[in-house]
C-alpha cells in the first residue's frame, strides 16, 4: 500500500486540493487558512460557500488569544481538539463544564440540555473570552441570550453546532446579531472538528507557522 | 427565542427528520439506528447513501462489547466522544496512544504520523477489540497492514477517517478486505463525531434504549 505518511506533506497536499474551491470567494490570506482547515476537518468542499466569518472575527480572536483569553466550549470533544499546549503559550486555558454536577443539576431542574446549562454557568467568565460551540444549538442560543439580556461580551463566538433541530436557526441568529464577531457555517452541517479547526488555524497562524505541536 | 430545549425531544425530532432519507436503503432496524446517529452527527443527509456497514458488523460489535472488549482509537477526540461510562458497564475501556512519548518517538524515527505509530504500538491488543478511526487515513492503512501481515484480528473496524489525502483510498481498502467486519463512509467525508456516533449508537441499542448517560 502506497500512501503519504508524513504529516506536513499530508497537510500541504490537502491545502492544495482545497485551494481551487476558495479562489472565487475573495478571501484574505488569513481567511484562506481558517477556511482550509475547516474544510479539511469535514472532508467536504461544499463547506466553502457556507462558511461565514465576520470581518473582525479573526483579528478579534488573535487579539484575545494574544491577551491570554480563555476558551469556553459546549462539549468535551471541542475541549479535547483545541490545541491546549499552543493556547497555554499565550496564557489561556480551555474550559468545558458539561460533566459538572452543578451543571447536571441545573439542566435537570430547568428541563434544558447540559450544554445550555453549562453556558449559563460560565456567565461573566465569557466576557473577553472565545466561545467555541461544536455540538449544541441550545448552547449557542443561550450564549446569544447572555449577550442580549445580560450584556455579556465574548471577544468572538465560534458557533458551529450541528444537526437538524435548531442548528441552522441558532447559527442564523448568530450571524444576524451585530455585537459579537463570529465564525459559523450556514445550515445543518457543522460539528466539533470544524469548530476546533477554526480555532487551531487562528492559533497556528498567530505563531507564524502551520506546525501542530 | 423559541426552540426545543429537552434532550430526548431534540433527539427524537432529529431521528424523524432523518427517517425519510433512509427509507429506500433496505436497512435493518439496527442499521437505521446507527445510520441515524451518524447522519445526525454530521448534520448532513448526504451521508445516507455513502455509509457502508458490513452485514456482520453490528452483531460482531455487540458481541465484542458484551464480552467486555476494549476500543482503540486513532485520536483523542474519538476517545473523548465514546461513552466510556456505558462501555464500562460491559467491562471495556477506551485507549488512545497518540500523545504517548513512545509513539511520538516511533513516529519521528519512522517519518510517519503519530496515529499510525499509535496503531502499530497497539499491536496484539487489537485482537478481538473494536478499532475506531475518526481522523487519520494513515492509522486505517496501518490497521489493515496489521490484519494482512501480522494476522491481527479486530472484532470490528469502525474506519471513518476524513480528508482529501488518503481517506477515500483507505476506506475503499477497508471495504474491499473480506476478513474483518467494518463500518465506514465512502469518499472524503467523515470525522471523529461520525465514528463516535456509530459506536455509541450500537452501545445504546445494546442497552435497549436511546438514553445517553
Amino acid at each position: 500500500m502506497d500512501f503519504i505518511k508524513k504529516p506536513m506533506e499530508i497537510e500541504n497536499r490537502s491545502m492544495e486540493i482545497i485551494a481551487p474551491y476558495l479562489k472565487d470567494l475573495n478571501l484574505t490570506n488569513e481567511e484562506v487558512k481558517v477556511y482550509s482547515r475547516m474544510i479539511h476537518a469535514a472532508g467536504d468542499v461544499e463547506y466553502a460557500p457556507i462558511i461565514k466569518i465576520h470581518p473582525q472575527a479573526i483579528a478579534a480572536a488573535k487579539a484575545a488569544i494574544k491577551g491570554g483569553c480563555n476558551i469556553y466550549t459546549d462539549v468535551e470533544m471541542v475541549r479535547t481538539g483545541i490545541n491546549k499546549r499552543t493556547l497555554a503559550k499565550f496564557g489561556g486555558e480551555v474550559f468545558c463544564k458539561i460533566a459538572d454536577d452543578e451543571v447536571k443539576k441545573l439542566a435537570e431542574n430547568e428541563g434544558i440540555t447540559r450544554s445550555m446549562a453549562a453556558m449559563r454557568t460560565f456567565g461573566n467568565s465569557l466576557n473577553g473570552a472565545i466561545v467555541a460551540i461544536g455540538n449544541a444549538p441550545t448552547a449557542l442560543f443561550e450564549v446569544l441570550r447572555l449577550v442580549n439580556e445580560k450584556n455579556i461580551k465574548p471577544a468572538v463566538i465560534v458557533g458551529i453546532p450541528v444537526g437538524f433541530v435548531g442548528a441552522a436557526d441558532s447559527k442564523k441568529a448568530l450571524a444576524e446579531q451585530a455585537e459579537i464577531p463570529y465564525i459559523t457555517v450556514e445550515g445543518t452541517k457543522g460539528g466539533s472538528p470544524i469548530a476546533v479547526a477554526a480555532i487551531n488555524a487562528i492559533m497556528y497562524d498567530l505563531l507564524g507557522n502551520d506546525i501542530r505541536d
Side-chain angles (χ1 to χ4, degrees), chain A:
Chain A
M1 285 178 291
D2 191 27
F3 56 96
I4 308 180
K5 299 175 189 69
K6 291 194 170 60
M8 284 312 293
E9 206 178 317
I10 293 171
E11 189 148 317
N12 293 338
R13 181 72 194 107
S14 181
M15 299 306 148
E16 278 170 25
I17 292 168
I18 293 166
Y21 297 93
L22 303 181
K23 69 176 173 27
D24 296 331
L25 299 176
N26 284 316
L27 304 178
T28 66
N29 287 342
E30 278 181 322
E31 286 169 338
V32 165
K33 290 178 192 171
V34 178
Y35 271 67
S36 297
R37 274 190 185 270
M38 291 172 74
I39 292 169
H40 173 71
D44 183 358
V45 293
E46 290 178 16
Y47 269 74
I50 58 175
I51 293 170
K52 298 294 157 196
I53 301 186
H54 181 281
Q56 299 307 317
I58 297 177
K62 284 184 171 177
I65 291 166
K66 273 200 230 172
C69 82
N70 292 327
I71 301 179
Y72 295 87
T73 77
D74 62 337
V75 292
E76 288 289 350
M77 282 183 77
V78 176
R79 200 186 65 76
T80 298
I82 292 171
N83 193 323
K84 289 167 286 295
R85 213 138 51 122
T86 299
L87 186 66
K89 289 180 186 170
F90 300 100
E93 281 184 78
V94 187
F95 295 94
C96 176
K97 272 186 185 280
I98 196 166
D100 285 18
D101 285 337
E102 174 196 13
V103 163
K104 236 184 242 187
K105 264 182 222 149
L106 177 62
E108 278 164 24
N109 291 342
E110 303 277 323
I112 60 177
T113 65
R114 285 190 208 165
S115 45
M116 186 173 175
M119 287 295 151
R120 194 171 299 175
T121 307
F122 285 136
N124 285 319
S125 340
L126 301 182
N127 281 311
I130 295 176
V131 175
I133 293 172
N135 184 292
T138 54
L140 181 51
F141 276 126
E142 178 65 13
V143 170
L144 294 175
R145 188 188 69 83
L146 294 171
V147 169
N148 284 333
E149 295 179 11
K150 304 289 177 187
N151 203 28
I152 284 171
K153 299 213 186 304
V156 178
I157 300 174
V158 178
I160 313 181
V162 60
F164 304 98
V165 182
D169 289 344
S170 68
K171 292 184 286 187
K172 192 160 178 279
L174 174 63
E176 281 171 2
Q177 57 81 42
E179 203 139 3
I180 313 293
Y182 57 83
I183 296 177
T184 191
V185 172
E186 288 178 345
T188 59
K189 291 183 188 180
S192 300
I194 324 302
V196 164
I199 287 173
N200 285 345
I202 292 169
M203 288 199 294
Y204 299 149
D205 195 31
L206 253 185
L207 288 177
N209 63 45
D210 278 333
I211 292 166
R212 303 179 197 190
D213 192 15

